[in-house]
Amino acid sequence: MRLKVNNRLKIMSIVGARPNMMKVAPLLAELRRHDEIEPVLVHTGQHYDYSMSQVFFDQLGVPPPDYNLDVRPGPHYAQTAEIMQRFGDLVQQDRPDMVVVAGDVNSTMACALVAAKERIPLAHVEAGLRSFDRSMPEEINRILTDALADLLFTTEESANQNLANEGIAPDKVFFVGNLMIDSLVRALKIARPSSLRSELGLTARPYVVLTLHRPSNVDNGEELKRTLEAIAEIAQRVPVVFPAHPRTARNIEAAREAAGLNAVRVWKGGLLPVRGLWMMPPAPYLDFLDLVQHAVMVITDSGGVQEETTFLGIPCLTYRENTERPVTVSMGTNQVVGCDPQHLLLHALELLESAHQGKSGSPPIRLPLWDGRTAPRIVRILKEAHQRDSACTAERVPL
């Protein structure tokens, strides 16, 4: 094990997938403002290509990671085990004073489990969210990470209640707001008008943004075909811009070849309209925000997009049976429409008709503590917790 060479508080933050990066970026920037803190960034490699990883480091101003574990895709169990092995080896060589994980991906749970077994204080950003659907890998990751965490940072009141119902001690739970909104607020300040909408010819036209990536929506070829056929119906009325997750794109290509899917085809070289459906590689963060901010509607199965559209006041249809972010429904612009393509089509056409009549949209929603200042609140609590732990340790050491 490498010994500490200074008395700075070493905080190791973990990123693995695209959503982690948007949450950790503002936290890392705040940590770097404190001379008494030594921030260390670990990238597990869960998302590894430029469009899903490096572009976020570039656009969010995140320095290169101190460590890259270079774990690549694989079955959930294999990827989780590999992350645990490599992160476990890392903390033997460079032991932090604290580990911070965010969200609900495999990297989150795997590194949380290592930290707990190594008796390293663990903080979970975006704790307490629940879909109550254990068929979702993310739900398992959330539950296990929260059970292991010493500090649990929540984004909304439902998360506080969920943790209380699960018996988590209230003095471990801190309602701090939403780090994703910190990134969004900063991005809106620095963003310039994206050229992407101009390339698409959408600067003066209504359009819809679509994202799909969850296994329940994209892993079954026949269901995926039915979904895209419904989307194609929407695309006959307004263009639908579809930045496709690499895994989704592979599944679409496989479904197209197996079932003669003609509503959309994978195109890897740029932007191409196919019956009104524009499929493209994953958009850089700032370009994606520009697309969402000017859309008439967003269709998604992403948790983070539900939050972004709520903050921006953009109508959102969530193509899932549930959401772990109920505040986006109760106080926001989000509707959970289930996974029936015909129900999706019906709701989408209703929103488009409202938009045509000038009735859709709403002013940006400002939820409690979704103010762009979550990172400073988290860092203050991390420092206070470490000071308490250090004082307790000092009391136990015999003179």
Side-chain angles (χ1 to χ4, degrees):
M1 180 187 300
R2 194 175 82 182
L3 298 178
K4 290 188 69 173
V5 296
N6 57 54
N7 292 322
R8 298 169 71 197
L9 168 59
K10 183 181 291 186
I11 298 179
M12 191 171 276
S13 300
I14 312 301
V15 297
R18 173 174 172 150
N20 297 152
M21 297 165 197
M22 289 179 280
K23 294 159 193 166
V24 169
L27 178 61
L28 192 64
E30 180 64 23
L31 290 170
R32 291 166 67 87
R33 293 181 60 248
H34 296 259
D35 292 338
E36 69 274 28
I37 295 176
E38 180 185 352
V40 177
L41 181 62
V42 177
H43 190 340
T44 67
Q46 184 175 336
H47 281 175
Y48 59 90
D49 64 12
Y50 181 81
S51 65
M52 297 296 288
S53 177
Q54 185 58 45
V55 67
F56 287 87
F57 285 83
D58 295 343
Q59 293 196 339
L60 295 172
V62 178
D66 297 282
Y67 298 101
N68 193 322
L69 304 185
D70 200 29
V71 176
R72 296 303 175 95
H76 281 280
Y77 65 89
Q79 186 180 70
T80 300
E82 187 67 18
I83 294 169
M84 289 182 64
Q85 178 69 58
R86 298 191 184 193
F87 185 61
D89 290 343
L90 172 61
V91 299
Q92 303 308 311
Q93 301 301 317
D94 191 3
R95 186 179 182 89
D97 297 300
M98 189 175 292
V99 169
V100 178
V101 296
D104 53 21
V105 299
N106 288 340
S107 297
T108 305
M109 189 270 286
C111 293
L113 188 54
V114 170
K117 286 182 173 291
E118 291 295 311
R119 300 180 65 82
I120 301 170
L122 172 69
H124 184 202
V125 171
E126 203 179 75
L129 298 180
R130 298 289 183 269
S131 67
F132 303 101
D133 178 2
R134 294 201 179 190
S135 69
M136 297 174 61
E138 297 89 346
E139 184 77 352
I140 302 300
N141 292 340
R142 294 180 200 116
I143 293 169
L144 293 177
T145 302
D146 285 340
L148 297 169
D150 301 287
L151 301 171
L152 298 97
F153 297 117
T154 62
T155 61
E156 59 176 87
E157 178 55 36
S158 73
N160 300 332
Q161 188 59 54
N162 292 335
L163 294 173
N165 292 343
E166 293 171 12
I168 301 296
D171 61 352
K172 297 168 63 174
V173 179
F174 301 87
F175 174 42
V176 293
N178 195 328
L179 270 180
M180 181 83 79
I181 301 304
D182 284 30
S183 280
L184 177 56
V185 168
R186 180 179 181 276
L188 293 175
K189 289 178 180 177
I190 67 174
R192 299 176 180 177
S194 169
S195 63
L196 186 55
R197 284 187 297 123
S198 296
E199 294 175 26
L200 289 164
L202 297 175
T203 53
R205 297 175 61 190
Y207 63 90
V208 172
V209 172
L210 168 70
T211 77
L212 292 173
H213 75 280
R214 295 193 178 273
S216 57
N217 284 331
V218 304
D219 280 2
N220 182 296
E222 183 58 34
E223 291 300 317
L224 180 59
K225 176 177 180 292
R226 292 178 60 236
T227 296
L228 291 176
E229 286 172 346
I231 296 295
E233 288 292 320
I234 300 168
Q236 298 307 299
R237 293 158 174 83
V238 294
V240 177
V241 183
F242 183 16
H245 187 288
R247 183 163 163 274
T248 304
R250 290 192 297 270
N251 288 347
I252 289 174
E253 179 65 12
R256 185 187 66 81
E257 293 175 353
L261 181 64
N262 295 315
V264 65
R265 63 186 176 89
V266 177
W267 182 77
K268 301 183 185 301
L271 306 171
L272 180 68
V274 181
R275 292 180 57 189
L277 179 55
W278 298 72
M279 186 169 171
M280 55 184 281
Y285 181 52
L286 297 181
D287 290 328
F288 181 74
L289 281 184
D290 186 68
L291 282 174
V292 169
Q293 191 174 10
H294 295 91
V296 68
M297 172 176 58
V298 173
I299 299 170
T300 189
D301 58 7
S302 162
V305 173
Q306 295 173 52
E307 294 174 334
E308 290 166 338
T309 52
T310 288
F311 187 85
L312 295 170
I314 305 299
C316 177
L317 298 180
T318 295
Y319 192 55
R320 288 169 46 186
E321 299 294 343
N322 48 56
T323 179
E324 64 283 349
R325 293 163 168 86
V327 73
T328 65
V329 176
S330 62
M331 297 181 65
T333 56
N334 185 26
Q335 299 180 58
V336 179
V337 299
C339 294
D340 184 323
Q342 291 307 306
H343 288 171
L344 173 65
L345 178 59
L346 177 63
H347 284 279
L349 295 181
E350 288 176 351
L351 276 180
L352 290 176
E353 180 60 27
S354 295
H356 179 71
Q357 297 176 6
K359 298 178 181 178
S360 70
S362 65
I365 307 297
R366 296 295 178 258
L367 300 177
L369 299 187
W370 290 28
D371 57 3
R373 297 290 300 164
T374 294
R377 288 189 282 268
I378 290 178
V379 172
R380 174 179 56 80
I381 295 167
L382 293 177
K383 290 169 61 177
E384 291 173 352
H386 179 68
Q387 290 167 0
R388 287 195 303 271
D389 289 346
S390 297
C392 292
T393 300
E395 289 177 1
R396 291 193 296 268
V397 175
L399 297 177

Short mmCIF file of all heavy atoms in Angstrom, two decimals, residues 189-235:
data_model
loop_
_atom_site.label_atom_id
_atom_site.label_comp_id
_atom_site.label_asym_id
_atom_site.label_seq_id
_atom_site.Cartn_x
_atom_site.Cartn_y
_atom_site.Cartn_z
N LYS A 189 -24.63 28.15 -19.23
CA LYS A 189 -23.88 29.41 -19.18
C LYS A 189 -22.80 29.47 -20.24
O LYS A 189 -22.50 30.54 -20.78
CB LYS A 189 -23.25 29.58 -17.80
CG LYS A 189 -24.26 29.87 -16.69
CD LYS A 189 -23.56 29.99 -15.34
CE LYS A 189 -24.56 30.26 -14.22
NZ LYS A 189 -23.88 30.32 -12.88
N ILE A 190 -22.16 28.33 -20.52
CA ILE A 190 -21.02 28.34 -21.42
C ILE A 190 -21.38 27.93 -22.85
O ILE A 190 -20.59 28.13 -23.77
CB ILE A 190 -19.89 27.43 -20.90
CG1 ILE A 190 -20.34 25.96 -20.94
CG2 ILE A 190 -19.46 27.84 -19.51
CD1 ILE A 190 -19.23 24.98 -20.58
N ALA A 191 -22.57 27.36 -23.02
CA ALA A 191 -22.93 26.80 -24.33
C ALA A 191 -23.15 27.91 -25.36
O ALA A 191 -23.72 28.95 -25.05
CB ALA A 191 -24.18 25.94 -24.21
N ARG A 192 -22.68 27.65 -26.53
CA ARG A 192 -23.00 28.48 -27.69
C ARG A 192 -24.00 27.74 -28.55
O ARG A 192 -24.09 26.52 -28.48
CB ARG A 192 -21.72 28.79 -28.48
CG ARG A 192 -20.68 29.54 -27.68
CD ARG A 192 -19.41 29.73 -28.48
NE ARG A 192 -18.40 30.45 -27.72
CZ ARG A 192 -17.17 30.69 -28.16
NH1 ARG A 192 -16.80 30.23 -29.36
NH2 ARG A 192 -16.32 31.37 -27.41
N PRO A 193 -24.74 28.46 -29.39
CA PRO A 193 -25.69 27.75 -30.26
C PRO A 193 -25.00 26.64 -31.04
O PRO A 193 -23.98 26.86 -31.68
CB PRO A 193 -26.21 28.85 -31.19
CG PRO A 193 -26.05 30.12 -30.39
CD PRO A 193 -24.80 29.92 -29.57
N SER A 194 -25.54 25.45 -30.94
CA SER A 194 -24.92 24.30 -31.60
C SER A 194 -25.18 24.35 -33.09
O SER A 194 -26.24 24.78 -33.56
CB SER A 194 -25.52 23.02 -31.00
OG SER A 194 -25.15 21.90 -31.77
N SER A 195 -24.19 23.90 -33.86
CA SER A 195 -24.36 23.82 -35.32
C SER A 195 -25.18 22.61 -35.71
O SER A 195 -25.59 22.49 -36.87
CB SER A 195 -22.99 23.76 -36.00
OG SER A 195 -22.29 22.58 -35.61
N LEU A 196 -25.43 21.71 -34.75
CA LEU A 196 -26.10 20.47 -35.09
C LEU A 196 -27.51 20.71 -35.62
O LEU A 196 -27.92 20.10 -36.61
CB LEU A 196 -26.14 19.56 -33.86
CG LEU A 196 -26.68 18.15 -34.06
CD1 LEU A 196 -25.93 17.42 -35.17
CD2 LEU A 196 -26.57 17.36 -32.75
N ARG A 197 -28.25 21.60 -34.97
CA ARG A 197 -29.61 21.86 -35.45
C ARG A 197 -29.59 22.48 -36.85
O ARG A 197 -30.47 22.20 -37.67
CB ARG A 197 -30.34 22.78 -34.48
CG ARG A 197 -30.82 22.06 -33.22
CD ARG A 197 -31.69 22.94 -32.34
NE ARG A 197 -30.98 24.08 -31.83
CZ ARG A 197 -31.36 25.35 -32.00
NH1 ARG A 197 -32.45 25.62 -32.70
NH2 ARG A 197 -30.65 26.34 -31.49
N SER A 198 -28.59 23.30 -37.12
CA SER A 198 -28.47 23.87 -38.47
C SER A 198 -28.19 22.78 -39.49
O SER A 198 -28.76 22.76 -40.59
CB SER A 198 -27.36 24.92 -38.50
OG SER A 198 -27.68 26.00 -37.67
N GLU A 199 -27.29 21.86 -39.14
CA GLU A 199 -26.98 20.76 -40.05
C GLU A 199 -28.22 19.92 -40.34
O GLU A 199 -28.39 19.40 -41.44
CB GLU A 199 -25.90 19.87 -39.44
CG GLU A 199 -24.54 20.55 -39.30
CD GLU A 199 -23.55 19.66 -38.56
OE1 GLU A 199 -23.73 18.43 -38.62
OE2 GLU A 199 -22.62 20.19 -37.94
N LEU A 200 -29.06 19.78 -39.31
CA LEU A 200 -30.29 19.02 -39.48
C LEU A 200 -31.40 19.82 -40.15
O LEU A 200 -32.45 19.26 -40.49
CB LEU A 200 -30.78 18.53 -38.12
CG LEU A 200 -29.96 17.43 -37.45
CD1 LEU A 200 -30.31 17.33 -35.98
CD2 LEU A 200 -30.20 16.10 -38.13
N GLY A 201 -31.21 21.12 -40.31
CA GLY A 201 -32.26 21.96 -40.87
C GLY A 201 -33.42 22.16 -39.92
O GLY A 201 -34.58 22.31 -40.34
N LEU A 202 -33.13 22.19 -38.62
CA LEU A 202 -34.20 22.24 -37.62
C LEU A 202 -34.21 23.53 -36.82
O LEU A 202 -34.87 23.61 -35.78
CB LEU A 202 -34.05 21.06 -36.64
CG LEU A 202 -34.18 19.67 -37.26
CD1 LEU A 202 -33.90 18.60 -36.22
CD2 LEU A 202 -35.57 19.49 -37.87
N THR A 203 -33.51 24.55 -37.27
CA THR A 203 -33.46 25.78 -36.48
C THR A 203 -34.81 26.48 -36.45
O THR A 203 -35.09 27.22 -35.50
CB THR A 203 -32.41 26.75 -37.06
OG1 THR A 203 -32.66 26.93 -38.46
CG2 THR A 203 -31.01 26.19 -36.85
N ALA A 204 -35.66 26.26 -37.42
CA ALA A 204 -36.95 26.94 -37.46
C ALA A 204 -38.11 25.95 -37.57
O ALA A 204 -39.22 26.32 -37.94
CB ALA A 204 -36.99 27.93 -38.62
N ARG A 205 -37.87 24.70 -37.24
CA ARG A 205 -38.92 23.67 -37.36
C ARG A 205 -39.10 22.96 -36.04
O ARG A 205 -38.15 22.76 -35.29
CB ARG A 205 -38.52 22.61 -38.41
CG ARG A 205 -38.38 23.13 -39.82
CD ARG A 205 -37.88 22.02 -40.73
NE ARG A 205 -38.80 20.89 -40.79
CZ ARG A 205 -38.50 19.72 -41.36
NH1 ARG A 205 -37.30 19.54 -41.89
NH2 ARG A 205 -39.39 18.76 -41.40
N PRO A 206 -40.34 22.57 -35.71
CA PRO A 206 -40.53 21.73 -34.52
C PRO A 206 -39.96 20.34 -34.76
O PRO A 206 -39.96 19.83 -35.89
CB PRO A 206 -42.05 21.69 -34.36
CG PRO A 206 -42.58 21.93 -35.73
CD PRO A 206 -41.61 22.86 -36.40
N TYR A 207 -39.44 19.73 -33.70
CA TYR A 207 -38.89 18.39 -33.80
C TYR A 207 -38.96 17.73 -32.43
O TYR A 207 -39.18 18.38 -31.39
CB TYR A 207 -37.45 18.42 -34.32
CG TYR A 207 -36.49 19.14 -33.41
CD1 TYR A 207 -35.79 18.47 -32.39
CD2 TYR A 207 -36.27 20.52 -33.56
CE1 TYR A 207 -34.92 19.14 -31.55
CE2 TYR A 207 -35.41 21.19 -32.72
CZ TYR A 207 -34.74 20.51 -31.71
OH TYR A 207 -33.89 21.17 -30.87
N VAL A 208 -38.76 16.41 -32.43
CA VAL A 208 -38.78 15.60 -31.22
C VAL A 208 -37.39 14.99 -31.04
O VAL A 208 -36.73 14.64 -32.01
CB VAL A 208 -39.85 14.48 -31.34
CG1 VAL A 208 -39.76 13.50 -30.17
CG2 VAL A 208 -41.24 15.08 -31.42
N VAL A 209 -36.95 14.86 -29.78
CA VAL A 209 -35.70 14.15 -29.47
C VAL A 209 -36.07 12.81 -28.84
O VAL A 209 -36.94 12.73 -27.95
CB VAL A 209 -34.82 14.96 -28.51
CG1 VAL A 209 -33.62 14.13 -28.04
CG2 VAL A 209 -34.34 16.24 -29.18
N LEU A 210 -35.41 11.75 -29.28
CA LEU A 210 -35.63 10.39 -28.78
C LEU A 210 -34.34 9.81 -28.23
O LEU A 210 -33.28 9.93 -28.85
CB LEU A 210 -36.13 9.50 -29.93
CG LEU A 210 -36.17 7.99 -29.69
CD1 LEU A 210 -37.25 7.61 -28.68
CD2 LEU A 210 -36.38 7.24 -31.01
N THR A 211 -34.41 9.20 -27.03
CA THR A 211 -33.29 8.38 -26.54
C THR A 211 -33.86 7.07 -26.00
O THR A 211 -34.88 7.07 -25.32
CB THR A 211 -32.47 9.07 -25.42
OG1 THR A 211 -33.18 9.01 -24.17
CG2 THR A 211 -32.17 10.51 -25.77
N LEU A 212 -33.21 5.97 -26.33
CA LEU A 212 -33.59 4.64 -25.84
C LEU A 212 -32.32 3.85 -25.56
O LEU A 212 -31.44 3.78 -26.42
CB LEU A 212 -34.42 3.87 -26.88
CG LEU A 212 -35.82 4.38 -27.21
CD1 LEU A 212 -36.39 3.57 -28.38
CD2 LEU A 212 -36.74 4.28 -26.01
N HIS A 213 -32.23 3.26 -24.36
CA HIS A 213 -31.06 2.44 -24.09
C HIS A 213 -31.32 1.31 -23.10
O HIS A 213 -30.50 0.41 -22.97
CB HIS A 213 -29.93 3.31 -23.54
CG HIS A 213 -30.12 3.73 -22.11
ND1 HIS A 213 -30.93 4.77 -21.76
CD2 HIS A 213 -29.61 3.24 -20.96
CE1 HIS A 213 -30.91 4.92 -20.45
NE2 HIS A 213 -30.12 3.99 -19.93
N ARG A 214 -32.44 1.30 -22.38
CA ARG A 214 -32.64 0.30 -21.35
C ARG A 214 -32.90 -1.07 -21.96
O ARG A 214 -33.60 -1.19 -22.98
CB ARG A 214 -33.79 0.70 -20.43
CG ARG A 214 -33.46 1.96 -19.64
CD ARG A 214 -34.42 2.21 -18.50
NE ARG A 214 -34.01 3.42 -17.78
CZ ARG A 214 -33.14 3.45 -16.79
NH1 ARG A 214 -32.58 2.31 -16.39
NH2 ARG A 214 -32.81 4.57 -16.20
N PRO A 215 -32.35 -2.13 -21.36
CA PRO A 215 -32.51 -3.47 -21.92
C PRO A 215 -33.98 -3.84 -22.18
O PRO A 215 -34.28 -4.50 -23.18
CB PRO A 215 -31.89 -4.38 -20.85
CG PRO A 215 -30.87 -3.52 -20.18
CD PRO A 215 -31.46 -2.14 -20.16
N SER A 216 -34.88 -3.44 -21.30
CA SER A 216 -36.29 -3.80 -21.47
C SER A 216 -36.87 -3.21 -22.75
O SER A 216 -37.86 -3.71 -23.28
CB SER A 216 -37.10 -3.32 -20.27
OG SER A 216 -36.97 -1.92 -20.08
N ASN A 217 -36.25 -2.15 -23.26
CA ASN A 217 -36.76 -1.51 -24.47
C ASN A 217 -36.00 -1.89 -25.74
O ASN A 217 -36.57 -1.79 -26.83
CB ASN A 217 -36.71 0.01 -24.32
CG ASN A 217 -37.82 0.56 -23.45
OD1 ASN A 217 -38.90 -0.03 -23.36
ND2 ASN A 217 -37.56 1.68 -22.79
N VAL A 218 -34.75 -2.29 -25.62
CA VAL A 218 -33.95 -2.44 -26.84
C VAL A 218 -33.38 -3.84 -27.05
O VAL A 218 -32.80 -4.10 -28.11
CB VAL A 218 -32.79 -1.41 -26.87
CG1 VAL A 218 -33.32 0.00 -26.74
CG2 VAL A 218 -31.75 -1.70 -25.80
N ASP A 219 -33.53 -4.74 -26.08
CA ASP A 219 -32.90 -6.06 -26.22
C ASP A 219 -33.78 -7.09 -26.92
O ASP A 219 -33.28 -8.11 -27.39
CB ASP A 219 -32.48 -6.60 -24.85
CG ASP A 219 -31.16 -6.01 -24.38
OD1 ASP A 219 -30.61 -5.16 -25.11
OD2 ASP A 219 -30.69 -6.37 -23.29
N ASN A 220 -35.08 -6.85 -26.96
CA ASN A 220 -35.99 -7.76 -27.65
C ASN A 220 -36.26 -7.21 -29.05
O ASN A 220 -36.84 -6.14 -29.22
CB ASN A 220 -37.30 -7.89 -26.86
CG ASN A 220 -38.28 -8.86 -27.50
OD1 ASN A 220 -38.76 -8.63 -28.61
ND2 ASN A 220 -38.58 -9.95 -26.81
N GLY A 221 -35.82 -7.96 -30.06
CA GLY A 221 -35.90 -7.47 -31.43
C GLY A 221 -37.30 -7.14 -31.89
O GLY A 221 -37.54 -6.12 -32.54
N GLU A 222 -38.27 -7.99 -31.56
CA GLU A 222 -39.64 -7.76 -32.00
C GLU A 222 -40.24 -6.54 -31.32
O GLU A 222 -40.92 -5.72 -31.95
CB GLU A 222 -40.50 -9.00 -31.71
CG GLU A 222 -41.93 -8.89 -32.21
CD GLU A 222 -42.04 -8.63 -33.70
OE1 GLU A 222 -41.19 -9.14 -34.46
OE2 GLU A 222 -42.98 -7.91 -34.10
N GLU A 223 -39.99 -6.40 -30.01
CA GLU A 223 -40.50 -5.22 -29.29
C GLU A 223 -39.84 -3.94 -29.80
O GLU A 223 -40.49 -2.89 -29.93
CB GLU A 223 -40.28 -5.38 -27.78
CG GLU A 223 -41.12 -6.47 -27.14
CD GLU A 223 -42.61 -6.20 -27.31
OE1 GLU A 223 -43.04 -5.04 -27.13
OE2 GLU A 223 -43.33 -7.16 -27.65
N LEU A 224 -38.55 -4.02 -30.08
CA LEU A 224 -37.85 -2.86 -30.60
C LEU A 224 -38.42 -2.46 -31.95
O LEU A 224 -38.60 -1.26 -32.25
CB LEU A 224 -36.36 -3.17 -30.71
CG LEU A 224 -35.45 -2.06 -31.23
CD1 LEU A 224 -35.54 -0.82 -30.36
CD2 LEU A 224 -34.01 -2.55 -31.30
N LYS A 225 -38.73 -3.44 -32.78
CA LYS A 225 -39.33 -3.15 -34.09
C LYS A 225 -40.66 -2.43 -33.94
O LYS A 225 -40.93 -1.43 -34.61
CB LYS A 225 -39.51 -4.46 -34.86
CG LYS A 225 -40.20 -4.32 -36.21
CD LYS A 225 -40.25 -5.66 -36.91
CE LYS A 225 -40.94 -5.56 -38.25
NZ LYS A 225 -42.37 -5.26 -38.14
N ARG A 226 -41.50 -2.90 -33.01
CA ARG A 226 -42.80 -2.27 -32.79
C ARG A 226 -42.64 -0.84 -32.27
O ARG A 226 -43.37 0.07 -32.68
CB ARG A 226 -43.63 -3.09 -31.81
CG ARG A 226 -44.08 -4.44 -32.35
CD ARG A 226 -44.84 -5.23 -31.31
NE ARG A 226 -46.04 -4.53 -30.87
CZ ARG A 226 -46.33 -4.21 -29.61
NH1 ARG A 226 -45.50 -4.54 -28.63
NH2 ARG A 226 -47.45 -3.59 -29.32
N THR A 227 -41.68 -0.64 -31.39
CA THR A 227 -41.44 0.70 -30.86
C THR A 227 -41.02 1.66 -31.97
O THR A 227 -41.54 2.78 -32.09
CB THR A 227 -40.35 0.66 -29.78
OG1 THR A 227 -40.82 -0.12 -28.67
CG2 THR A 227 -40.01 2.06 -29.30
N LEU A 228 -40.08 1.23 -32.81
CA LEU A 228 -39.60 2.10 -33.87
C LEU A 228 -40.65 2.34 -34.94
O LEU A 228 -40.66 3.40 -35.58
CB LEU A 228 -38.32 1.53 -34.47
CG LEU A 228 -37.11 1.56 -33.53
CD1 LEU A 228 -35.92 0.88 -34.17
CD2 LEU A 228 -36.75 2.99 -33.15
N GLU A 229 -41.55 1.39 -35.13
CA GLU A 229 -42.66 1.63 -36.06
C GLU A 229 -43.58 2.72 -35.52
O GLU A 229 -44.07 3.57 -36.29
CB GLU A 229 -43.42 0.33 -36.29
CG GLU A 229 -42.66 -0.66 -37.17
CD GLU A 229 -43.34 -2.02 -37.26
OE1 GLU A 229 -44.24 -2.29 -36.43
OE2 GLU A 229 -42.95 -2.81 -38.15
N ALA A 230 -43.81 2.73 -34.20
CA ALA A 230 -44.61 3.81 -33.60
C ALA A 230 -43.89 5.15 -33.72
O ALA A 230 -44.50 6.18 -34.03
CB ALA A 230 -44.92 3.49 -32.14
N ILE A 231 -42.57 5.13 -33.47
CA ILE A 231 -41.79 6.35 -33.60
C ILE A 231 -41.84 6.86 -35.04
O ILE A 231 -41.92 8.07 -35.30
CB ILE A 231 -40.33 6.11 -33.18
CG1 ILE A 231 -40.25 5.74 -31.69
CG2 ILE A 231 -39.47 7.33 -33.48
CD1 ILE A 231 -40.68 6.82 -30.74
N ALA A 232 -41.81 5.93 -36.01
CA ALA A 232 -41.88 6.33 -37.41
C ALA A 232 -43.19 7.03 -37.72
O ALA A 232 -43.24 7.94 -38.57
CB ALA A 232 -41.70 5.11 -38.31
N GLU A 233 -44.28 6.63 -37.05
CA GLU A 233 -45.56 7.32 -37.23
C GLU A 233 -45.47 8.77 -36.75
O GLU A 233 -45.99 9.69 -37.37
CB GLU A 233 -46.66 6.58 -36.46
CG GLU A 233 -47.06 5.26 -37.06
CD GLU A 233 -47.79 5.44 -38.39
OE1 GLU A 233 -48.60 6.40 -38.50
OE2 GLU A 233 -47.51 4.67 -39.32
N ILE A 234 -44.80 8.96 -35.62
CA ILE A 234 -44.60 10.32 -35.11
C ILE A 234 -43.75 11.11 -36.09
O ILE A 234 -44.00 12.29 -36.36
CB ILE A 234 -43.92 10.27 -33.72
CG1 ILE A 234 -44.79 9.50 -32.73
CG2 ILE A 234 -43.62 11.67 -33.21
CD1 ILE A 234 -44.09 9.14 -31.43
N ALA A 235 -42.73 10.44 -36.64
CA ALA A 235 -41.80 11.12 -37.54
C ALA A 235 -42.43 11.53 -38.86
O ALA A 235 -41.85 12.32 -39.60
CB ALA A 235 -40.59 10.22 -37.80
#
